[in-house]
Amino acid sequence: MQQLLPGLWTLRGLGVGRVYALADGDDITLIDGSIPSAGPKIIAQLERAGFAAHRVRRILVTHCHGDHLGALPYLKRVTNAEIFVPEGERDTAEGRAPFGYPDLATLPLHLRLMQRSGPTSFEGVAVAGTLKEGDTIPNAHGELTVLSVPGHSRGHL
């Protein structure tokens, strides 16, 4: 885990995807969930930094692609955190709809050339709520305001 600012860390060595941890008093907020194998790595990094898993109160998902959802079932079981996803992407996060691939125009050239393979659906996890432009999340490094940036996915935040 690398500290970026007071109360803000990025987690390292997850394989794919980026996960951030925000500390606010006793609350920890995670942003995104990486791939399935990253779950134990995320918890281990938090614990090495002195944060008990039960302090993770919420997980905010920026968009519902596999490299952002993968570890959520594990993280939910270990932390019992509430999970929030972009409005319009709840069905994907709960495993009722496939996740789409990103618009090729949003990807770097080397990723546009790669063959698309792998699963198109997700095990699913209970979602506490959805997020949209202008929503605020208290006790997450102060207060976060949600910004909508669709394009990479339909609800990308």
Side-chain angles (χ1 to χ4, degrees), residues 30-36 38-39 42 58-61 63-66 68-85 93-94 122-127:
L30 294 179
I31 298 179
D32 285 326
S34 191
I35 58 177
I42 292 167
R58 71 195 63 76
I59 303 170
L60 311 176
V61 178
H63 63 287
C64 291
H65 288 157
H68 293 257
L69 296 173
L72 291 184
Y74 176 86
L75 294 171
K76 176 70 175 172
R77 282 191 301 275
V78 172
T79 68
N80 200 33
E82 292 184 311
I83 296 172
F84 296 87
V85 301
E94 291 184 336
F122 174 66
E123 173 185 330
V125 66
V127 170

Side-chain angles (χ1 to χ4, degrees), residues 20-32:
Y20 296 92
L22 305 167
D24 194 322
D26 284 339
D27 287 353
I28 300 293
T29 298
L30 294 179
I31 298 179
D32 285 326

